[in-house]
Amino acid sequence: MQLKKIDISGFKSFATKTTIEFNEGVTAVVGPNGSGKSNIIEAIRWVMGEQSAKSLRGGKMNDIIFAGSDSRKPVNIAEVTLVLENEDHFLPLDFSEVSITRRLHRSGDSEYYINKKPCRLKDIVDLFMDSGLGKESFSIISQGKVESVFNSKPEDRRAIFEEAAGVLKYKTKKKKAEQKLLETKDNLNRVQDILYELESQVEPLKIQSTMAKDYLQQKEQLKDVEISLTAVEIQQYQQELAEKSNQKAAYDMQLAEMKQQSDKLEADLLNLRKAKRTFSEKSDSYQEQLMEAVQKMEQLEGKKNVLKERDKHTQENKEKALQSKQQLQHQIEHTTNQLEETIKNKTAKEKEKKELDKALKSIKKERELLSGNQKQMEDHLRDEYIEWMQQETSLKNEQTFLKKSASQFELRNAKSMTSKQSLADEVKELTETSAVQTTQLKQVQQEIAEKLLQFQEKQALLQTIKKIANQKKVNSMMLCVLSNKLKLKETA
């Protein structure tokens, strides 16, 4: 057996996969301190099953995974593969070359392989036992190992010699056999205890067994009684089934008759619904007509009220006009009296004027002497004459205005009387038409009420028919359930 090569990937300082081949002779690894020479020995010990992180110069097992550097990122897996030549079959495997692989993830999961097949750590330890190889064997001597052998206890040195002599394998097997013997002895003691406990339960179990046998016998008897009882019940159920089937036939006949009646009633119901629709349409049209008539009545009532107000107002205006007419007549009489007086005064003044003219002619001779006084008298008389003429024209204008206003008032009064008569005629016609429409609406409402009563009576009859049909369905379902029970019991 010879170490052929070792593949290291992600273990401590080996960031990338590194392969070290061991040829015949001595292979030496030379390098300065800190270059990773010891990491190769620790990788061999680790792949052979080393479980102590301190012996691998770490605080915990994840410390052996490459943690990264300034120029490289950390890796998540450490893997070491040890390849041994086994042409002489020194290792108990039927292979000329044996590869042992150990893989550790940063999550803490470990994987072991022998010739790329998954295995256990125990399988690897058993493979190297008594072969001179292993994690504690002296085929791998690290720094300070020789000194620790010389300073160790005699028992520890004896274990080293036993391993070198090939006795350790058998001693470990002996320890395992002794351990198994102790375990079997403990199991036998436990069996004795269980037997001792079960001996005290034998008598009660015998009593319980006799009771169980009696129970089984009585159960068989009960079964026979139940079978006979079910046979009797089956006969009774068959009789009831025959009676129920006869009743079902009768009910089916009644149901057919009821169905025919229900079909007739449904046809009548459809006719009634159609009639109801027509009546509802007619009632809606009559209702619309009634609403229109009511609206017209309201409009006419409004017009009537307006005309009443106008009539009242015209009456008041008429009374006021009569009063004003009387007043105007009094004023006309007064003005005519004044006009007559003014005319009399005018004639008197004219006479005075003539007299004055005569007087003027007579005193022409004295004109020269009294020229200034004469001029003043003429101006005074002329001014009085102008005032009398102005009063006469104003009185004539007032008389014509009063005559025109009296004629206009008479025309307005005649027009208001004619419009009042026409409105009264329209109101009378609308009241007559509304009365006719209300009588027609009452007749239609009475017909609708009669049809609704007929519809309700037929609907109640239809509900009673449906209840009877549902009752028959329930009875038929009960018959089906009874027949199913009988069939189940017959099959049982």
Side-chain angles (χ1 to χ4, degrees):
M1 183 180 68
Q2 184 181 351
L3 179 62
K4 193 172 182 180
K5 68 176 180 177
I6 182 169
D7 296 329
I8 305 170
S9 175
F11 185 85
K12 287 197 173 183
S13 59
F14 296 95
T16 58
K17 186 175 181 181
T18 303
T19 302
I20 301 170
E21 294 184 356
F22 298 94
N23 298 319
E24 293 182 358
V26 177
T27 302
V29 180
V30 182
N33 292 332
S35 62
K37 301 185 298 295
S38 299
N39 291 339
I40 298 170
I41 303 301
E42 288 172 356
I44 294 169
R45 292 183 65 189
W46 182 68
V47 75
M48 286 185 176
E50 182 62 54
Q51 294 296 314
S52 175
K54 290 182 181 180
S55 62
L56 299 173
R57 296 182 299 167
K60 53 185 179 179
M61 194 57 74
N62 287 338
D63 294 339
I64 68 171
I65 302 172
F66 179 69
S69 63
D70 295 335
S71 61
R72 290 180 179 273
K73 293 182 179 180
V75 297
N76 294 320
I77 297 172
E79 183 178 348
V80 178
T81 302
L82 188 69
V83 180
L84 299 168
E85 189 178 323
N86 193 31
E87 290 181 356
D88 55 355
H89 295 288
F90 183 78
L91 295 175
L93 291 173
D94 293 331
F95 295 100
S96 60
E97 188 176 280
V98 178
S99 65
I100 294 98
T101 305
R102 184 175 181 180
R103 189 180 296 158
L104 177 67
H105 297 271
R106 197 172 285 279
S107 61
D109 297 332
S110 294
E111 297 175 4
Y112 302 94
Y113 298 92
I114 296 175
N115 287 339
K116 296 182 181 181
K117 291 182 180 179
C119 65
R120 300 173 297 171
L121 176 62
K122 185 176 180 299
D123 297 332
I124 295 171
V125 172
D126 292 339
L127 181 66
F128 289 115
M129 186 177 287
D130 200 24
S131 63
L133 297 174
K135 60 180 181 178
E136 295 295 335
S137 66
F138 281 89
S139 59
I140 300 170
I141 300 172
S142 59
Q143 294 177 1
K145 187 71 174 178
V146 177
E147 187 179 357
S148 66
V149 169
F150 286 119
N151 293 328
S152 63
K153 293 179 182 181
E155 292 85 0
D156 296 334
R157 276 181 280 178
R158 183 179 177 180
I160 293 165
F161 291 129
E162 285 177 352
E163 185 180 359
V167 181
L168 183 62
K169 178 180 179 181
Y170 299 104
K171 287 192 81 173
T172 53
K173 286 182 178 179
K174 182 183 176 182
K175 283 182 181 178
K176 288 180 182 179
E178 287 176 352
Q179 186 68 30
K180 287 181 179 179
L181 285 169
L182 288 171
E183 289 176 357
T184 53
K185 191 174 181 180
D186 291 335
N187 290 329
L188 285 170
N189 292 327
R190 181 61 184 158
V191 168
Q192 289 293 329
D193 294 335
I194 291 166
L195 287 171
Y196 180 73
E197 289 178 0
L198 291 173
E199 283 177 356
S200 61
Q201 297 178 6
V202 171
E203 289 297 328
L205 288 170
K206 284 181 180 178
I207 296 166
Q208 289 178 6
S209 67
T210 55
M211 291 174 68
K213 287 177 182 178
D214 293 335
Y215 170 74
L216 291 170
Q217 289 177 359
Q218 291 176 3
K219 190 176 180 181
E220 289 292 331
Q221 292 177 1
L222 180 64
K223 189 176 181 182
D224 296 333
V225 171
E226 285 180 349
I227 289 166
S228 61
L229 182 63
T230 51
V232 173
E233 287 179 352
I234 286 165
Q235 290 178 358
Q236 292 177 357
Y237 285 138
Q238 285 177 351
Q239 291 176 358
E240 289 178 0
L241 183 63
E243 293 175 358
K244 295 290 183 183
S245 60
N246 294 326
Q247 290 178 1
K248 184 184 176 184
Y251 284 137
D252 288 333
M253 294 292 289
Q254 291 178 3
L255 184 63
E257 293 175 357
M258 292 286 185
K259 197 170 184 182
Q260 291 177 358
Q261 291 178 2
S262 66
D263 293 334
K264 289 180 182 178
L265 289 170
E266 284 178 357
D268 294 336
L269 184 63
L270 289 171
N271 294 324
L272 286 171
R273 283 178 180 171
K274 289 179 181 177
K276 185 181 176 182
R277 284 176 191 167
T278 54
F279 282 123
S280 62
E281 290 174 357
K282 286 181 181 179
S283 64
D284 292 334
S285 63
Y286 286 137
Q287 194 73 26
E288 289 176 358
Q289 292 176 4
L290 181 63
M291 289 295 290
E292 290 176 357
V294 169
Q295 288 177 359
K296 286 182 181 179
M297 284 286 289
E298 288 177 353
Q299 290 176 0
L300 291 171
E301 284 290 333
K303 288 181 181 179
K304 188 178 179 181
N305 292 325
V306 171
L307 290 171
K308 282 181 180 178
E309 291 292 328
R310 283 183 183 176
D311 192 9
K312 187 177 179 183
H313 187 65
T314 51
Q315 288 290 334
E316 291 176 356
N317 290 328
K318 188 176 180 182
E319 290 176 357
K320 288 179 181 179
L322 287 170
Q323 290 177 1
S324 63
K325 185 178 180 182
Q326 290 175 1
Q327 289 176 1
L328 287 169
Q329 285 177 356
H330 289 300
Q331 288 179 2
I332 288 164
E333 289 175 357
H334 183 66
T335 51
T336 50
N337 291 324
Q338 287 181 355
L339 186 63
E340 289 174 356
E341 289 177 0
T342 52
I343 290 165
K344 288 177 181 179
N345 289 324
K346 183 180 178 183
T347 52
K349 291 289 183 182
E350 286 178 352
K351 288 177 181 179
E352 287 178 358
K353 185 179 178 183
K354 288 178 180 179
E355 289 175 357
L356 286 170
D357 289 332
K358 288 177 180 180
L360 284 170
K361 287 178 181 180
S362 63
I363 59 172
K364 275 181 181 180
K365 294 177 179 180
E366 296 177 357
R367 191 172 182 180
E368 293 177 356
L369 295 171
L370 300 169
S371 60
N373 292 326
Q374 186 178 2
K375 285 180 180 179
Q376 290 178 357
M377 288 293 287
E378 285 178 358
D379 292 332
H380 179 70
L381 289 169
R382 194 178 289 111
D383 292 332
E384 285 182 353
Y385 179 73
I386 290 165
E387 287 179 358
W388 289 340
M389 292 297 289
Q390 287 177 353
Q391 287 178 1
E392 185 179 0
T393 53
S394 64
L395 287 169
K396 285 180 180 179
N397 291 326
E398 286 179 357
Q399 187 177 7
T400 55
F401 175 74
L402 288 170
K403 286 179 180 179
K404 286 180 181 179
S405 62
S407 63
Q408 288 176 359
F409 179 75
E410 287 176 355
L411 288 169
R412 285 178 185 170
N413 194 4
K415 287 180 180 179
S416 65
M417 289 297 287
T418 54
S419 63
K420 183 177 179 182
Q421 186 65 33
S422 64
L423 286 170
D425 295 333
E426 288 180 359
V427 169
K428 188 175 180 181
E429 289 177 357
L430 286 170
T431 51
E432 288 176 355
T433 54
S434 65
V436 172
Q437 288 178 354
T438 51
T439 53
Q440 290 178 357
L441 183 64
K442 286 180 181 178
Q443 290 175 359
V444 170
Q445 287 177 352
Q446 288 178 359
E447 290 177 358
I448 290 166
E450 290 175 357
K451 295 291 183 180
L452 283 172
L453 287 171
Q454 292 176 2
F455 175 71
Q456 289 175 358
E457 289 175 356
K458 291 186 177 181
Q459 196 170 11
L461 183 61
L462 186 63
Q463 287 179 357
T464 54
I465 290 165
K466 285 182 179 178
K467 286 180 181 178
I468 292 165
N470 290 324
Q471 187 66 35
K472 289 179 179 178
K473 285 181 181 177
V474 170
N475 292 326
S476 64
M477 286 173 72
M478 289 289 291
L479 288 169
C480 291
V481 169
L482 288 170
S483 63
N484 289 326
K485 283 184 179 180
L486 288 169
K487 287 177 182 179
L488 287 170
K489 288 186 177 181
E490 285 175 357
T491 54

